[in-house]
Amino acid sequence: MDVAVRASAAAATAEDAGHGRATARRRPRVGVVKFASCDGCQLTILDVEDHLLEIAERFDIVEFAEATSRRSSGPFDVLLVEGSISTPEQAVEIARLRAEAKLLVVIGACATAGGIQALRTAAEHEAFRAAVYPVPAYVDSLATARPVADFVQVDAELRGCPISPEQLVELLVSLTTGRRPQLPDQAVCLECKRRGIPCVVVARGLPCLGPVTRTGCGAICPAFGRGCYGCFGPRENANTAGYAQALVTGDAAAGADGRGRDPVDVGRLFAGFTGATQPFRSVTDSLAGRPPVTLRPTLASPPETLRAGPPTWGPAPSAPEAPSAAAAKEAPDGPRQ
Amino acid sequence: MSVATEVPTFLPRDRFDDLLQALAAGGRRVVGPTVADGAIVFADLERAADLPAGLTLATAPGRARLEPLPAGPGARRTFQYTVSGEGIKKFTFPSRVDALSMTTDLAGTVRVKVEAPAEPVPLAVVGARACDLAALAVHDRVLIGGPAVDPDYAARRSDLLVVAVECALASSTCFCATMGTGPEVTTGADLVLAELDDGFVVRAPSAAGGRIVESLGLAPAAPERVGKAAAQTAAARVAMGTDAIPANARDLLLANLEHPRWEAIAERCIACANCTLVCPTCFCTGQTVTSGFDGVTSTAARTWDSCFTDGFTQVAGGNFRPRHQDRYRQWMTHKFATWFDQFGTSGCIGCGRCVAWCPVGIDVRAELTAFAATAPAVAAVPLRDRGTLQPLAPPAPDALDFRRATVVSITPETADTSPLRLVTDDPAILAGTPGQFVMVGVPAFAIPPISISRYHPDGIELTIRAAGAATSFLTRLRPGATLGLRGPLGRGWPVETAHGRDVVIVAGGIGLAPLRPVIDAVLRDRAKFADVRIYLGARTPRERLFVDEIEALAAREDVLVRVTVDRAGPEWLGRVGIVTQLFKTVRGTGTDATAFICGPERMMAATATTLGDLGVPPEHMWLTLERHMECGVGLCGHCQFGSRFVCRDGPVFSAAELGDDLRREGL
Ligand SMILES: Cc1cc2nc3c(=O)[nH]c(=O)nc-3n(C[C@H](O)[C@H](O)[C@H](O)COP(=O)(O)OP(=O)(O)OC[C@H]3O[C@@H](n4cnc5c(N)ncnc54)[C@H](O)[C@@H]3O)c2cc1C
Ligand code: SF4
Ligand code: SF4
Ligand code: SF4
Ligand code: SF4
Ligand code: FES
């Protein structure tokens, strides 16, 4: 569940960021870099208005192309990486950056799942190139656009296209407090229901990827009367085969005539922003009659628990003697709270 | 003062606005069905014109579509449908409410406060159906019926006016008649409306309802109107039938927990959780913690959760219900079987919401019927006799409170495990018993359950293994910090039942922590027990807990201590192997022994088997279960283990109480 954050790196960061202590500590150096992507996720970072000042106070943003012209080569305490790896140079560059970063966090559908450009992984790369570019020989690209975790160890991920500003803040808060970031891996449906949005599958017969997609967006699409596009990628244990089957048979989202959907359309539904993830890709492949491919899991590192740094509030390490029960009793609001 | 009156009156359709005004008198918020987003949505109801006039909701498994009413004299009716996707639950039990606030000052004094609900806004709900009221009664039992009381629900429930509507038709998904909850409205309403083409027959079963009828000056309804209203509800009953699910559903499910059908359902079920979130009786919640960057203040919101999610049963180191089939089985057995054991009622009131709002159209009625077809004859399963040792406490208003204790020392025992010595003068904490636990609150973190591992005259000890974020943080606190503690909670070890008997204590790893108070209690009254034997297992010699203490015990004449490790190092001269192998070396572990066991679940199951083979009776084998916990007091639903709530019915259970469930996968 949740996001995996590598132990040592997170502990170091928690210590660096300091929490409400008078003693100033070194602010963690944060970098934001991008590969093949649209910059939308980076822009989200500027979108956290209420917290922007505090983030700038607590973190030293040393590299952020969208916001400043400063350039720094690292090292980074936290490196946020946007975009998928789609050229040979990028593959080299991400390896270099990994060596410079204590904590590498991939952000957005491109970096976590390949993104929309990973559609080419299910197609003929040369044919694509020839169709798009007048002189394909000028374009040096890898045959696939792949998530960052296919190339280097990743410590944490923020999903979405674009990422959610709230989740970004939650991740940063978890770094300064040492608590487990609450980035639920459950289906969009839960948020949809909590918000009281009538299900578009049941009420309107629209196909919606919400049941197999990870929550985090706040169920934006159903709130506007459309089906979920799956931009946060597969939820835990997504039963994509069962859902695709139901869309084809008409058990789910049947039209007015009670009939199901064309398998080709259902396949396309799963081939969007995060279509290059195993649970979605296997549906697209099987509905298109292609042999199944095995993709690497999006999060390369096995989920580990975030380790807290030592608490920064509380008595100083040199606290002389501990208060007694009597002292606790004297506290203004008494022992019962 | 007027009184409740059962004399039906008549409200002409064009006077419905007067009714809404009367309800709103005194600033009461009035909500009811409206049309939004292609569905019927309960929202603020200002005018009769906001009602879904001329519409019906055609439901089927996986379908709920708004359709125009057929032309005719009833074409402008406003309640000519049954239940919408959401009931009145979103008002009485909202999806997210503030539950706790936690702060600390720089000196480390932690305050955890149970949020008092904001001054409840008096509410009137228009359009609740008979099944909604039955569901409300179920929630009353679960959330305010004890032992703990949900303060937010209690507040919202305290000033609720219900204007019910008696159904004039049944949807294809309705089965209230089978469940005995409708379609006639019998209890729980202040006013009951039955819609006719030109207006409403109004009954006022409560005094508050009677006052409203009086203020409106309604005339008695003509007998033919009353008759017509009764006839349409009777027709709805007939249309539904009374055999939607097998009458012995509970017995069927409990006798077939390992049936291959569970796996078959799991291929279709996408574990989307919609069925649980639309269900008006589902009550499971989690605590969503939010904090600032400094971690000195945080709030925990009580948020709707569902047993269909992975996180629901996740614990540090594993998941108890990893498969969809485990989750579907939990949902269905809870609704139709174990709810009876827990709350004395069915968990399903037959509204059919889970049928219509399942995106892939899974129909509980069909699934139950299929079970009946494949496993026809089953014996009745008796209701579990809960609380044989300690009766359930009555509702306690302070059950959720956090008491305060101060850390005086933390002395690491192993690389990841540290006992925290706490002082407190809180009488409730000091009055705890062996095997009870506390929920530990510090700002910014989830609230983990931790066993009390020793009682002192002026405080307690907690032995904490850094298994995740909160526990890591706790083991790094410094002396002088205070903690918020909810508890002591749960049913502990019944040490007295071992008086006059041999005592066998078996602990694996951190499992020694909750058993330490048992050892303390036995040694304090050593003469009351016959032989005392303690068997300890650890993964490696370095991971042994309380080594000095155990050596001192081993030196005693009147206690036998055996220690084993899974993997030895060069320095280890003791035994190697699993803890169950130790019993073979000892005579007399048999019918006269009472065993207290704590460790990983597999280890406990293996121990229970071995001890059983040696003759220890199952009702004298006690073990303590671990499940994901969010509340510790029986309100959040996370810790369910079959019909039991581990937090309030346990965590200590006898092998006899657990029966086959101890070895059941995915419970
Ligand atoms: C009755 C009982 C007594 C326990 N006694 C002790 C003890 O004496 N010493 C000790 O070290 N540990 C004990 N545990 C286990 C301890 O509660 C978990 O290790 C702890 O909750 C992990 O929380 P975390 O925030 O560090 O980890 P995370 O993995 O970040 O967990 C987050 C939240 O999930 C829930 N959760 C996770 N793991 C568990 C779990 N194993 N059991 C219940 N809820 C869980 C809690 O709500 C927790 O706050 C006990 C568990 C139970 C049920
Ligand atoms: S609209 Fe989509 S996300 Fe929302 S409940 Fe329905 S299927 Fe789930
Ligand atoms: S289980 Fe289904 S039919 Fe029963 S009360 Fe819940 S939603 Fe309604
Ligand atoms: S455990 Fe029971 S009450 Fe809780 S969500 Fe599941 S079915 Fe509903
Ligand atoms: S039964 Fe239906 S609504 Fe419930 S979790 Fe399964 S697919 Fe979702
Ligand atoms: S019901 Fe919440 S922990 Fe048991």
Side-chain angles (χ1 to χ4, degrees), chain A residues 1 19 176 179 182 193-194 202-204 235-237 239 252 305 308 311 314-315 329 331 333-337, chain B residues 37 64-65 95 106 111-112 267 269-271 274 289 293-294 304 314 324 327 359 403-404 444 476 478-479:
Chain A
M1 72 188 297
H19 345 194
T176 60
R179 77 175 163 86
Q182 298 201 346
K193 281 288 169 295
R194 291 187 192 116
V202 172
R204 305 181 198 234
R235 56 169 282 204
E236 45 85 14
N237 279 316
N239 181 3
T305 316
K329 190 183 174 185
D333 57 350
R336 179 75 61 84
Q337 294 154 48
Chain B
D37 304 329
R65 309 275 165 89
S95 60
L106 287 182
R111 289 178 178 77
V112 184
E267 280 175 21
C269 169
I270 50 178
N274 275 305
V289 178
F293 284 93
D294 54 11
W304 282 359
Q314 183 89 35
H324 284 197
R327 304 182 197 170
R403 303 149 202 285
R404 202 190 306 159
R476 295 181 200 199
R478 288 188 283 265

Side-chain angles (χ1 to χ4, degrees), chain B residues 485-512:
Chain B
L485 303 181
R486 175 183 286 166
L489 302 168
R491 184 182 73 165
W493 307 99
V495 180
E496 339 63 63
T497 62
H499 284 171
R501 301 172 59 83
D502 294 337
V503 175
V504 179
I505 292 170
V506 189
I510 182 95
L512 181 54

Side-chain angles (χ1 to χ4, degrees), chain A residues 27-33 56 59-73 76:
Chain A
R27 291 180 304 158
R29 290 163 60 87
V30 177
V32 186
V33 296
F59 296 92
D60 185 11
I61 315 238
V62 294
E63 166 89 43
F64 188 2
E66 273 295 339
T68 85
S69 54
R70 284 170 67 190
R71 277 291 171 275
S72 159
S73 56
F76 305 102

Side-chain angles (χ1 to χ4, degrees), chain A residues 99-325:
Chain A
E100 295 279 316
K102 271 195 212 165
L103 193 74
L104 190 144
V105 182
V106 286
I107 61 170
C110 303
T112 57
I116 203 76
Q117 58 273 33
L119 275 179
R120 72 177 187 237
T121 56
E124 280 300 317
H125 178 233
E126 284 310 321
F128 249 54
R129 267 208 313 193
V132 175
Y133 300 102
V135 190
Y138 287 163
V139 184
D140 187 12
S141 62
L142 296 172
T144 56
R146 281 152 63 190
V148 173
D150 277 10
F151 296 84
V152 295
Q153 164 94 33
V154 161
D155 301 313
E157 59 176 25
L158 290 179
R159 305 267 196 100
C161 183
I163 57 167
S164 126
E166 290 81 19
Q167 290 205 338
L168 176 68
V169 171
E170 174 69 14
L171 182 92
L172 294 176
V173 165
S174 81
L175 292 176
T176 60
T177 56
R179 77 175 163 86
R180 179 191 280 272
Q182 298 201 346
L183 304 172
D185 57 1
Q186 50 193 217
V188 177
C189 300
L190 280 106
E191 205 47 38
C192 207
K193 281 288 169 295
R194 291 187 192 116
R195 289 188 60 186
I197 301 164
C199 176
V200 301
V201 175
V202 172
R204 305 181 198 234
L206 298 175
C208 172
L209 285 182
V212 290
T213 300
R214 184 186 278 207
T215 187
C217 59
I220 298 175
C221 293
F224 286 95
R226 328 170 59 148
C228 161
Y229 292 101
C231 69
F232 271 63
R235 56 169 282 204
E236 45 85 14
N237 279 316
N239 181 3
T240 45
Y243 190 43
Q245 178 71 17
L247 288 167
V248 171
T249 59
D251 283 341
D257 56 359
R259 300 249 303 270
R261 263 154 228 285
D262 186 335
V264 176
D265 292 340
V266 175
R268 284 206 190 106
L269 186 67
F270 284 86
F273 304 92
T274 57
T277 53
Q278 188 74 64
F280 287 4
R281 176 66 189 270
S282 54
V283 164
T284 330
D285 284 342
S286 87
L287 290 177
R290 281 195 300 261
V293 291
T294 307
L295 302 171
R296 292 184 55 173
T298 45
L299 195 61
S301 57
E304 263 181 57
T305 316
L306 181 146
R307 290 280 154 118
T312 49
W313 47 264
S318 55
E321 77 248 18
S324 62

Side-chain angles (χ1 to χ4, degrees), chain B residues 175 177-179 240-247 365 369:
Chain B
F175 59 110
T178 301
M179 303 310 289
M240 263 183 283
T242 51
D243 56 355
I245 68 164
R365 299 168 300 181
T369 307

